[in-house]
Amino acid sequence: MNKGLVIVESPTKVRTIKRYLGNNFEVKASLGHIKDLPPKNLGVDIENDFSPKYEIIRGKAKVLKELKTAASGVEDIYLAPDPDREGEAIAWHIADELGGNGKKTKRFHRVLFRELTEKAIKEAIKAPVELDKNRFESQQARRILDRLVGYQISPVLWDKVRRGLSAGRVQSVAVRIICDRERQIQAFVPEEYWTVHARLKAGLPPEFLAKAVARDGKKLSLTNKEAADEVVSFLKGADFKVKKIQTKEKKRGPAPPFITSTLQQEAARRLRFSAKKTMTIAQMLYEGVDLGKEGPIGLITYMRTDSTRLADEAVKAARAFIKDGFGQAYVPARAPSYKNARAAQDAHEAIRPTSVLRTPEMIAAHLTKDALALYDLIWKRFVASQMAPAAMDQTQVDIEAGPYMLRATGTVMKFPGFTTLYSEKKDEGETNLIDEAGSAELPRLSEKEVLSLACVIPKQHFTQPPPRFSEASLIKTLEENGIGRPSTYAAILSTIQEKEYVRMEQGHLLPTELGFVVTDLLVGHFTEILDTGFTADMERRLDEIEEGKISWLEVLSGFYGPFKQRLDSAKAGMKQVKRLGVTTDVRCDKCGAPMVIKYGRSGEFLACSGYPECKNTSDFKRDEKGIVIPVDKKEAAVSSETCPKCGRPMVVKRGRFGEFLACSGYPECKSTKPITTGAPCPNPACGGELVKKRSKTGRVFYGCNKYPECQYMVWDEPVKEACPECGSPILVAKITKDKKVLRCPVKGCNYKREM
């Protein structure tokens, strides 16, 4: 008889764990959650202490039956879903279905695999823990809160704006942050300012630049050309003398090892990975990669964490590696310590390689290009975090020129330290210490030395608006404000784009017209829920449930009373955008009545407020100040594709079922075709491609472009990636709770992978 049954979430983990535990243990996968709230109704008995009505997830009956069969022959069941709140809920529900939670027929053990290596797996099996009721109730409270908000506000939006919209306790706050930033940009008025630099010579080269920074001891502010010309005129005839030289040693320590949010940010900056892609690859690295003779091995520790803690064993291994590879000078006297973010779960570790000896070069042949790039980032960040600081000499030279003070700075690296291996890339608008100090090469100078002038350089500047958010900077803002948790960032970013509240443009997140309207309506009626402080406080209270400091019922009861009042008020008083539209300053070119923005199945458009007497409509765009500008109906975005009938360029047009391609030669040529996703149709006898379409109710789906000959369709977004289990040419991406999952669309194939 087997010693026990080990149940994990992902089938990819099964082979890794089975290899180390051998035949004494059977290893099965639950394929994520087996139970959840019902998809088509609220599923929460509000009148009965918010009692959740869980049910077996559609399609999971077969998985559950297999788990029950495997459990029938053992007494000890080791529940090993991921070591976070979501994993705790999965473990709790499995135990409930297999006879746990008070039933004595089975012994249930909670096992926490923080890395999938032989040592970690065997140690976890030897030292299991009890199921954590507080952690489960924290996840349950979050799930019910999100259900109360999403399932009760969304129908209001369907009634007032458009069917298919959704609201979320965290996602709506993220959209508001993006909308608020865009309005700051639209309202921004650039201010002119000038700088004046003098190019100076000493006795020995090189020449160097010094900036005019003060006059008569006061900070110099040049707001126009006339003020700058006055400085230039004086400096051209001035005498320059070195007044003061200061040289200081500056040290810069390494960044801490990655947590979930910083990994997503740095992967976005360096590798141009979306948060979704980063987590997909990280999941694969964690679950195990086949390294040939070594077999499948987990290459990194668990990737959903907000703790920078490192195991003592990992720190010792890194210090030994640094000494051997870089020299003793690169090993600090004490291992660096890093402060966790607030409310971090310190039972977790930071994201690190499971073995520092497994260098990127050693395993490159076993990884894809993207997987290698991410592993290389994680490995270097971890090793660098344990290296000595960089040291540099920063020299500041103050130069007198009559009443003006000029300043030159230069930096010389004395000891590169951790920068030999890795240096953190900054967000747009940020600089690191070396950049701030300036990297100009300065000649050897002495105080009171007289300098000669080569030329004076005035330059005009304008203040810049705050930058738009990238995925990386939005994640950073959410984290800084305590909004969301490590497991939620990727799903938040995916959801707000898929719901068309936000679009990605040249690497930046821009709110759509729909995003603005929905945000304004929600802020007007659900002020607290859309407030960053309220959302952060709710996250804190969820943490307190996990810590056993507060009851989950107390949190839900305190939330629901005020929320229900606002919900009833919104149902009665929220503006009917669907019927009235959003007012604009644009006048109808047919009747002169005001035009309003309305929302149809295929998106927003301008419509005459005089409808039905006047049925004039128009597409529109907004300028940099957010002003609505009608778009001539003859204008259309030109596609890279050509017409299959006449060879003319195809243009993007919009119909009742969404965007499509039409021949630019219309009406002479009336050829049209759908816009393809690039994903092949899984029907092997077809050879077509999947295209994005809309149903009569406005819901997006993906169907074969060879319809009606091929009637294949799928509701979830296709991803051009082959299924490793059955070979299907595509997977599909599906949002489930606060995670995004890639699954195989082929009936009977159970492949699934978290993103």
Side-chain angles (χ1 to χ4, degrees), residues 65-81:
K65 183 179 179 180
E66 291 177 354
L67 293 180
K68 287 181 175 179
T69 301
S72 64
V74 300
E75 293 183 354
D76 291 288
I77 299 175
Y78 296 83
L79 302 171

Side-chain angles (χ1 to χ4, degrees), residues 229-352:
D229 287 344
E230 182 182 338
V231 179
V232 171
S233 178
F234 182 88
L235 293 182
K236 284 183 176 179
D239 295 325
F240 296 85
K241 184 169 66 175
V242 177
K243 180 181 180 182
K244 186 178 181 181
I245 300 175
Q246 287 181 299
T247 299
K248 295 180 180 178
E249 183 182 78
K250 296 283 186 180
K251 288 190 175 181
R252 180 160 62 99
F258 283 129
I259 59 177
T260 304
S261 60
T262 54
L263 175 62
Q264 292 172 354
Q265 292 169 49
E266 193 73 345
R269 297 183 194 112
R270 287 179 175 266
L271 307 177
R272 303 299 182 191
F273 286 179
S274 66
K276 177 176 70 176
K277 181 174 181 177
T278 297
M279 296 309 290
T280 299
I281 297 172
Q283 181 86 28
M284 180 268 292
L285 294 174
Y286 162 69
E287 290 183 350
V289 174
D290 196 328
L291 300 183
K293 292 182 180 180
E294 291 185 83
I297 292 178
L299 297 179
I300 64 171
T301 52
Y302 189 57
M303 65 288 159
R304 291 189 180 90
T305 175
D306 53 6
S307 172
T308 56
R309 186 183 69 83
L310 292 169
D312 291 341
E313 183 180 88
V315 172
K316 290 177 182 176
R319 289 169 66 84
F321 181 88
I322 294 165
K323 180 181 177 181
D324 293 342
F326 296 88
Q328 184 63 49
Y330 287 83
V331 183
R334 291 184 179 181
S337 60
Y338 300 100
K339 186 177 180 180
N340 278 331
R342 59 183 176 179
Q345 300 179 59
D346 205 43
H348 289 180
E349 271 194 79
I351 303 169
R352 63 167 175 83

Side-chain angles (χ1 to χ4, degrees), residues 13 55 85-86 109-110 142 185 217 307 323 354 467 472 488 530 564 572 581 618 632 640 652-653 672 689 708:
K13 297 178 187 175
E55 60 181 38
R85 291 176 187 166
E86 204 71 26
H109 312 279
R110 180 71 167 109
R142 175 190 287 277
I185 294 170
S307 172
K323 180 181 177 181
T354 53
T488 66
L530 271 287
K564 183 64 167 60
S618 171
D632 192 303
S640 59
V652 179
K653 291 196 173 182
T672 64
E689 291 186 339

Side-chain angles (χ1 to χ4, degrees), residues 579-693:
R579 179 169 57 85
L580 300 175
V582 179
T583 57
T584 72
D585 294 329
V586 179
R587 291 281 171 176
C588 176
D589 57 7
K590 290 188 177 180
C591 72
M595 299 286 279
V596 295
I597 299 171
K598 288 199 171 185
Y599 299 90
R601 295 190 183 101
S602 57
E604 65 265 10
F605 60 96
L606 283 176
C608 182
S609 59
Y611 180 88
E613 288 76 15
C614 179
K615 299 180 180 180
N616 187 27
T617 63
S618 171
D619 287 338
F620 71 94
K621 59 184 178 181
R622 288 185 183 267
D623 65 12
E624 67 276 4
K625 294 297 181 182
I627 297 172
V628 174
I629 302 173
V631 175
D632 192 303
K633 292 178 181 178
K634 294 180 180 178
E635 290 184 32
V638 179
S639 165
S640 59
E641 296 193 40
T642 56
C643 176
K645 291 185 178 180
C646 69
R648 293 187 181 99
M650 301 288 279
V651 295
V652 179
K653 291 196 173 182
R654 182 179 292 168
R656 60 178 302 198
F657 298 122
E659 292 183 336
F660 63 95
L661 293 179
C663 181
S664 59
Y666 181 89
E668 290 81 10
C669 178
K670 298 180 180 180
S671 175
T672 64
K673 61 187 294 190
I675 299 175
T676 180
T677 63
C681 177
N683 185 348
C686 169
E689 291 186 339
L690 296 183
V691 295
K692 184 177 180 180
K693 298 183 177 182

